[in-house]
Amino acid sequence: MLLVSYEFAAFLILLLAVYYLVPVRFRWMLLLAASYLFYLTGGMFYVLYPLITTVTTWFLARRIGAVTRESKAYIKAQGMDREQKKEYNRQVKKRQCRLMQLGLVLNFGILAVLKYANFVLENMGILLGAAGIEGVVPSVGWILPLGISYYTFQSMGYLIDVYYRKYEPEENLAKFALFVSFFPQVTAGPISRFDQLKEQLFAPHEWDFCQVKRGAERMLWGYFKKLVIADRIGPAVAMIIIDPGTYDGIYVFLGMVGYTIWMYADFAGGIDIVIGAAQMFGIRLPENFDRPFFSKSLGEFWRRWHMSLMLWLREYIFFPVSMSRFTRRMSELVQKHFGKKAGMKVPVYVGSIVVWLTAGIWHGASWRFVAWGMANCIVMLISQELVGCYRAYHKKFAFTNHPRYRYFEIVRTFLLFACLEMFEYYSFKNVFVMFGNLVTTASLSQLWDGRFVQLGLDAADCGIAAFGILLMFVVSLSQRSGSVREKLERYSLPVQYAAFFGMFLIVLVAGVYGHGYDASQFVYNQF
């Protein structure tokens, strides 16, 4: 079932009506049933994978929790001294670690096989061919279950949290199943933590017209981003980036800027729909974007873009890797040969490389995404090394304190991010070729050489896209001082409903529909 479909609208309206009619104690059960029904619309067979993840994670987390309780009772009964407790707890942690590792290997293994099998087989074929070994390495025809990366990361985060005793494991399998499969976020995230959602998912939510209205407004804003902006410029952007031989020069710039805006409008629009749908049931999902295009550095940008994924990578990969035994030994070795300062940088470098390698592979089974991740990593590490130079530069030149310089930093960060995105859609070699072509041959006159017309954007499309992007920018700018929806509520009801109805008409009239329209292609659905 697609978020942009009549089926989803009917499903949501019917579920909303039934949800607030059934007794309070049954409402979370209704959400669970609806979530599995939502998933079943994608195919009976693919429900098996989230079920495996749910059952195995729930069982292993309960075993970890049981070991903790048993060990505490045993220590109390035996009256151990401090050293005995230390040694016994070390043995307990080893048992629990094996349980956690079993869950990680099993569930990340399922993700790896389904998502990366063809990538591995393809590269094996290339290596065998280079070695002169004849034969064709077969490919597999598996289809990824909906949102497999999201529910796997979310479930494994829960298992790791239980291992580190951040909270007690959930005893009720059905309640844990709702956490894993809650239908709004299964398509595109955000990746949530159990302690963030457990009270909300199972709380006795009463009917609240204000919450339902705000949720509907958030969904409408998401549909505006998706249908009016993303789906209008998406086909033109696709034509530019898949045909670099035809679209060079100024079109490289249009492609990289258009790709960045398209991806944001598509992904952030999907997240708005997800968060709005959940809010209608009284459930607040974590935000995934915080006006990233107002960032003044790439590091700040990644703290404000796809925030739930970046927080997950930081907490469950960066910190464990940077504090691991291997990293500590490497740090000591570097410190011995190159000094203390160099040795102290090793944890940051190793952790960053692993994080961005993971982020690249997570985004897609292709060397292009690996290159994209490593390119971001290199730029981030170089920026970190130049922090002292930046500070000296800002201290020496007073104009860096002027608001205009802040605008320059924002534009610079946007263009830097757009440049790095080229690694996602061009081959590694072509990134540098096309960027060089942009620098050496770009000219505004190329926009009138006939190629722009072939992109399929007429004057009306360009005007609507420009209006949509401008409105999206103005709303983001207004959010600096608080929620736009809350500001709108300060006005009278007629003004509120006029704004809401006006936005509905814009989406209805200016949204991209018709023959060949495919509402399924939210850019992050594939994950």
Side-chain angles (χ1 to χ4, degrees):
M1 191 184 302
L2 311 175
L3 294 181
V4 183
S5 66
Y6 294 120
E7 291 82 2
F8 179 72
F11 170 83
L12 186 64
I13 292 171
L14 180 61
L15 177 61
L16 196 64
V18 176
Y19 181 79
Y20 286 110
L21 287 175
V22 300
V24 171
R25 65 181 182 277
F26 297 127
R27 288 179 182 172
W28 71 267
M29 301 178 194
L30 178 65
L31 286 181
L32 176 61
S35 297
Y36 273 93
L37 176 61
F38 181 87
Y39 216 102
L40 281 168
T41 60
M44 294 286 293
F45 178 74
Y46 295 106
V47 178
L48 176 65
Y49 297 111
L51 275 174
I52 291 173
T53 296
T54 299
V55 173
T56 57
T57 305
W58 172 78
F59 174 77
L60 291 170
R62 286 187 73 231
R63 283 301 308 145
I64 291 172
V67 169
T68 299
R69 291 191 297 272
E70 292 165 4
S71 64
K72 288 180 179 179
Y74 182 78
I75 290 173
K76 185 176 181 180
Q78 295 297 316
M80 296 180 179
D81 59 29
R82 184 175 180 180
E83 288 301 318
Q84 290 174 323
K85 287 181 183 178
K86 187 176 180 180
E87 177 59 25
Y88 180 73
N89 283 327
R90 190 177 66 84
Q91 296 298 324
V92 168
K93 267 301 183 186
K94 286 179 65 175
R95 288 172 56 197
Q96 292 177 317
C97 187
R98 284 193 291 267
L99 292 169
M100 178 189 68
Q101 290 170 345
L102 175 61
L104 296 178
V105 170
L106 173 62
N107 289 286
F108 280 130
I110 293 173
L111 174 63
V113 169
L114 292 178
K115 192 171 181 178
Y116 305 105
N118 277 326
F119 176 63
V120 173
L121 292 172
E122 178 185 340
N123 283 277
M124 284 178 59
I126 294 172
L127 290 174
L128 292 173
I133 301 175
E134 297 183 359
V136 178
V137 177
S139 61
V140 294
W142 295 321
I143 300 176
L144 285 177
L146 184 64
I148 184 172
S149 294
Y150 292 107
Y151 73 69
T152 301
F153 273 42
Q154 185 161 300
S155 302
M156 295 305 96
Y158 163 82
L159 186 63
I160 295 169
D161 285 345
V162 170
Y163 168 74
Y164 283 112
R165 303 181 184 179
K166 293 182 179 179
Y167 43 74
E168 291 296 315
E170 174 57 55
E171 296 293 327
N172 189 316
L173 175 58
K175 288 186 175 181
F176 181 69
L178 177 57
F179 165 71
V180 175
S181 62
F182 183 47
F183 77 92
Q185 69 181 87
V186 77
T187 54
I191 302 170
S192 305
R193 291 179 50 148
F194 185 70
D195 55 342
Q196 292 175 326
L197 282 187
K198 66 176 182 178
E199 297 299 331
Q200 297 189 70
L201 287 173
F202 316 126
H205 298 291
E206 298 291 347
W207 167 260
D208 186 338
F209 176 75
C210 184
Q211 287 288 353
V212 174
K213 180 173 74 73
R214 287 184 179 181
E217 291 169 348
R218 183 70 180 265
M219 291 183 70
L220 186 60
W221 180 236
Y223 285 123
F224 173 83
K225 290 179 182 176
K226 168 66 175 170
L227 296 175
V228 177
I229 302 175
D231 285 353
R232 173 161 274 101
I233 68 174
V237 171
M239 286 185 66
I240 293 173
I241 65 180
I242 66 176
D243 191 4
T246 300
Y247 293 99
D248 57 0
I250 194 66
Y251 290 96
V252 177
F253 179 79
L254 290 182
M256 66 185 235
V257 171
Y259 181 85
T260 303
I261 295 173
W262 162 73
M263 185 170 56
Y264 173 75
D266 189 283
F267 188 20
I271 291 295
D272 286 332
I273 295 170
V274 165
I275 292 178
Q279 187 173 4
M280 295 173 82
F281 297 94
I283 297 167
R284 290 185 175 272
L285 296 177
E287 295 290 341
N288 222 21
F289 293 92
D290 181 18
R291 303 182 303 113
F293 293 141
F294 289 90
S295 304
K296 297 188 287 294
S297 68
L298 189 63
E300 181 185 355
F301 185 96
W302 279 112
R303 289 191 294 272
R304 300 167 71 164
W305 175 286
H306 206 342
M307 295 187 295
S308 64
L309 174 64
M310 300 314 295
L311 286 171
W312 196 98
L313 292 173
R314 184 180 70 178
E315 184 166 351
Y316 299 113
I317 293 185
F318 178 81
F319 288 128
V321 168
S322 61
M323 295 186 292
S324 67
R325 186 180 305 172
F326 168 81
T327 305
R328 288 201 303 270
R329 289 178 178 176
M330 184 180 292
S331 178
E332 292 169 0
L333 184 64
V334 170
Q335 185 172 335
K336 180 179 179 181
H337 293 282
F338 300 99
K340 183 177 180 180
K341 188 175 181 180
M344 291 177 65
K345 293 180 179 179
V346 169
V348 175
Y349 273 64
V350 173
S352 297
I353 291 170
V354 175
V355 160
W356 283 105
L357 180 62
T358 304
I361 294 173
W362 184 88
H363 276 81
S366 168
W367 288 113
R368 290 184 291 112
F369 290 103
V370 174
W372 168 83
M374 290 298 95
N376 274 277
C377 180
I378 290 169
V379 173
M380 296 276 282
L381 291 176
I382 290 174
S383 298
Q384 187 166 322
E385 290 298 322
L386 296 176
V387 166
C389 297
Y390 294 150
R391 288 174 180 168
Y393 174 76
H394 283 266
K395 187 176 181 180
K396 183 174 182 179
F397 297 102
F399 70 85
T400 59
N401 296 318
H402 196 279
R404 292 177 186 173
Y405 189 78
R406 300 289 181 267
Y407 304 147
F408 161 75
E409 289 179 311
I410 289 170
V411 173
R412 177 195 63 192
T413 302
F414 173 84
L415 293 177
L416 175 59
F417 176 77
C419 286
L420 291 172
E421 289 301 293
M422 293 170 70
F423 285 96
E424 285 195 357
Y425 52 84
Y426 289 141
S427 66
F428 185 79
K429 178 182 177 181
N430 262 355
V431 169
F432 301 99
V433 172
M434 298 310 293
F435 187 78
N437 184 276
L438 167 63
V439 173
T440 57
T441 68
S443 169
L444 287 175
S445 62
Q446 293 171 330
L447 297 175
W448 290 273
D449 62 6
R451 286 180 287 177
F452 188 86
V453 177
Q454 297 173 3
L455 297 177
L457 293 174
D458 57 22
D461 285 320
C462 292
I464 293 171
F467 165 76
I469 294 169
L470 178 62
L471 181 59
M472 190 168 63
F473 172 80
V474 170
V475 170
S476 295
L477 196 63
S478 178
Q479 286 175 335
R480 292 186 304 174
S481 57
S483 168
V484 173
R485 288 178 296 169
E486 292 179 1
K487 292 178 182 178
L488 187 61
E489 288 174 0
R490 298 171 189 167
Y491 294 91
S492 63
L493 283 177
V495 173
Q496 294 181 43
Y497 285 110
F500 184 83
F501 187 67
M503 179 61 69
F504 175 76
L505 285 180
I506 291 173
V507 174
L508 188 66
V509 175
V512 177
Y513 309 96
H515 179 69
Y517 173 68
D518 184 359
S520 67
Q521 297 306 309
F522 276 100
V523 64
Y524 272 72
N525 271 12
Q526 61 184 303
F527 306 125

